Amino acid sequence: MRALVAAATGLAVAFALVFTLTAVGSPSGTTSPKPLLTTIPSHP
């Protein structure tokens, strides 16, 4: 019975965390206009 109570408590905490993050929303930010520069190895 204790395991069931612990599982229910953990599930409630997880849902509360998800709902809190959803209510806060995603952080506002911008992406860089510059593309990432990568090097391509030369073929032999």
Side-chain angles (χ1 to χ4, degrees), residues 1-43:
M1 189 68 176
R2 273 190 233 170
L4 185 60
V5 171
T9 304
L11 191 61
V13 170
F15 276 127
L17 181 65
V18 169
F19 287 141
T20 302
L21 291 177
T22 302
V24 170
S26 61
S28 61
T30 58
T31 58
S32 174
K34 295 180 182 177
L36 293 175
L37 299 177
T38 59
T39 59
I40 300 172
S42 60
H43 295 288

